[in-house]
Amino acid sequence: MREEVAVKDALDQTAAHFGGIDIVVNNASAIQLTPVAATDMRRFDLMHQINARGTFMVSKYAISHLEKSANPHILMLSPPLDMQEKWFAP
């Protein structure tokens, strides 16, 4: 997720193997459930490298493949918006 060349190569290899890419599912994420003062800057950087930069980069390099699809999609998933038990019960 954080290595530009690896992401581009993975998308190119996937498109070559399967004959194209019709959908990209951005589901990778990193989260740190600590108060701001207790959050290490390395962890903060990791979260932003994966959650923002990684999502952008995968989408960016997938576009050239998605443009060839008859019905392309980019699906964005995210963690729960709050810590209510209903999200974690099952």
Side-chain angles (χ1 to χ4, degrees):
M1 277 302 300
R2 296 186 290 159
E3 299 296 330
E4 187 173 6
V5 173
V7 167
K8 188 171 181 342
D9 288 347
L11 287 163
D12 291 344
Q13 289 175 29
T14 299
H17 182 80
F18 292 105
I21 296 176
D22 296 317
I23 186 168
V24 169
V25 179
N26 285 311
N27 188 40
S29 67
I31 189 167
Q32 180 72 26
L33 301 175
T34 55
V36 170
T39 302
D40 181 280
M41 288 310 299
R42 290 182 68 224
R43 188 62 170 175
F44 176 87
D45 291 342
L46 173 68
M47 289 187 293
H48 285 274
Q49 288 170 0
I50 292 172
N51 300 347
R53 186 178 187 274
T55 297
F56 176 85
M57 182 170 41
V58 170
S59 299
K60 171 186 171 65
Y61 288 124
I63 288 173
S64 63
H65 300 292
L66 291 168
E67 289 176 327
K68 299 171 190 168
S69 172
N71 190 23
H73 286 80
I74 296 178
L75 175 63
M76 309 296 273
L77 300 177
S78 64
L81 298 177
D82 59 45
M83 298 303 293
Q84 292 182 27
E85 184 177 284
K86 68 179 181 178
W87 298 111
F88 303 100

